Amino acid sequence: MRRKIVLATLVCNLGCSLALLAPAYAEEASQFVMKTSDAESTGEFTVTLQGENLQDLYAYEAKFSFDASKLEVVKADTKIEGFSVSPIVKNNEVTFAHTKVGKVDGEKGNIDIGTITFKAKKVGTSQVTWTSMKIVDHNLKNQSIALTKSADFTKIFSDLNGHWAKPDIMLMVDKQIVEGMDDDHFAPDTNVTRAQFATLLAKALNLKDGAGVNPFTDVAAGSWYEDTVKKAYAAGLINGVADDTFAPEKNITREEMTAMLMRAKAQVTGTKVEEMTAGASIQFLDESLVSDWAKHVVELAVDAGLMNGRTEQEFAPQEHATRAESVVVLKRLLAGVNVK
């Protein structure tokens, strides 16, 4: 009977109207700490609840808030003997309760109260917040404590482990500007087409939809990139490889990406690319490989820190840009023009 009374008290927020059995009390010396561990590649995250200087913990009810569209509750557990209520998830909140059984004293000292494990449903960063703790002593006196202890967890694409661009890629994933090739792979070292980079720019700058003009005969009506090309062209971000040819499926070169990048900066800052000045000329051994039309934008981008060389000595203007490179330069652009 004692166990039933304690559990009813703990889960009254779930629909029970049982009155509290005794006035609230306070154990000011007790503290609650949240420790975390995670496995980025698997997306499974564990929160450990710890009590410090506990006086008499007979039962407890812990509540956490989280985004149920990003995380799911896998399990909850405790090493304290007794009876647990399985985690109950409702409206982006999970409740976990446990009580000892019989006429025994509550836990004392510094102990691990319990653990709760979450699993990410998709790649990105999620937050879990420990919002409250209701504790009951062996005399059934209770205390409710409001908490705001939070932790961020990040699930990464499996092919980003150890990759140089991992931080920037994950930042742009969280901003919902870039996506993976599938749920588990980003393919950072594959090439980017001209249409794909134009799409990234349009999304990063949040270009508005509009009728627009499509001057390119190779941008077919109804193609996935038609609207993007119209928006990017109207904003002055893109030119064709010829007056009526955009070559949307062609892998973009690093100098072509640089040109689009600088036009995007011009669009945001309201300064024409032709009016921008660089502090120094190109200082790469392969400077002669940069097309005449691209020399100015390459100077500007390198001087502004938006573009680096493939190596310290070579810019590699005619080589194809990778997905990782495209994301990193976009991140630098947004940071430089204070676009959030």
Side-chain angles (χ1 to χ4, degrees), residues 146-162:
L147 300 169
T148 54
K149 300 181 182 296
S150 299
D152 291 334
F153 302 104
T154 301
K155 179 183 178 181
I156 68 169
F157 293 104
S158 62
D159 54 2
L160 289 185
N161 277 314

Side-chain angles (χ1 to χ4, degrees), residues 20 60 63 76 83 87 114-115 118 131 135 168 175 180 188 199 213 215 219 251 256 274 292 300-301 332:
L20 298 177
Y60 67 86
K63 289 182 179 293
F83 181 81
T115 62
F118 297 86
T131 57
I135 58 177
D168 288 346
K175 289 179 177 290
T199 299
V213 176
V219 176
N251 289 331
E256 288 174 336
E274 295 77 14
D292 289 341
L300 292 173
R332 292 173 185 162

Side-chain angles (χ1 to χ4, degrees), residues 36-46 152-155:
T36 61
S37 62
D38 62 81
E40 287 184 330
S41 57
T42 65
E44 195 159 285
F45 318 109
T46 299
D152 291 334
F153 302 104
T154 301
K155 179 183 178 181

Side-chain angles (χ1 to χ4, degrees), residues 102-116:
K103 295 182 179 180
V104 295
D105 291 336
E107 299 293 318
K108 296 179 175 62
N110 301 332
I111 65 168
D112 286 351
I113 299 169
T115 62
I116 184 163

Side-chain angles (χ1 to χ4, degrees), residues 255-256 258-259 282 290-299:
E255 68 178 12
E256 288 174 336
T258 304
I282 302 173
V290 179
S291 301
D292 289 341
W293 63 265
K295 289 186 182 296
H296 183 55
V297 292
V298 170
E299 287 179 351

Side-chain angles (χ1 to χ4, degrees), residues 91-259:
N91 298 329
N92 291 323
E93 183 179 70
V94 58
T95 302
F96 175 54
H98 180 80
T99 181
K100 301 185 79 170
V101 179
K103 295 182 179 180
V104 295
D105 291 336
E107 299 293 318
K108 296 179 175 62
N110 301 332
I111 65 168
D112 286 351
I113 299 169
T115 62
I116 184 163
T117 302
F118 297 86
K119 187 176 180 65
K121 295 180 178 179
K122 55 187 177 181
V123 167
T125 300
S126 305
Q127 185 176 82
V128 173
T129 302
W130 189 2
T131 57
S132 70
M133 185 71 171
K134 182 181 291 184
I135 58 177
V136 180
D137 69 13
H138 77 285
N139 292 315
L140 301 187
K141 294 180 180 178
N142 72 87
Q143 179 186 6
S144 294
I145 304 167
L147 300 169
T148 54
K149 300 181 182 296
S150 299
D152 291 334
F153 302 104
T154 301
K155 179 183 178 181
I156 68 169
F157 293 104
S158 62
D159 54 2
L160 289 185
N161 277 314
H163 196 278
W164 64 271
K166 169 188 164 184
D168 288 346
I169 290 173
M170 292 309 304
L171 176 65
M172 297 294 274
V173 168
D174 285 334
K175 289 179 177 290
Q176 298 183 336
I177 293 174
V178 301
E179 299 176 349
M181 297 296 285
D182 57 40
D183 291 342
D184 194 46
H185 300 89
F186 187 78
D189 298 319
T190 59
N191 295 330
V192 178
T193 67
R194 287 168 53 82
Q196 288 170 340
F197 190 66
T199 299
L200 289 177
L201 282 176
K203 197 169 185 180
L205 300 186
N206 195 26
L207 298 182
K208 303 302 181 184
D209 292 329
V213 176
N214 175 17
F216 305 116
T217 59
D218 59 350
V219 176
S223 60
W224 69 264
Y225 45 76
E226 179 191 12
D227 289 340
T228 289
V229 169
K230 286 181 177 179
K231 288 190 291 186
Y233 183 77
L237 272 55
I238 61 174
N239 288 331
V241 297
D243 289 343
D244 62 351
T245 306
F246 181 64
E249 301 290 356
K250 176 179 175 288
N251 289 331
I252 195 169
T253 65
R254 284 171 48 84
E255 68 178 12
E256 288 174 336
M257 183 172 73
T258 304

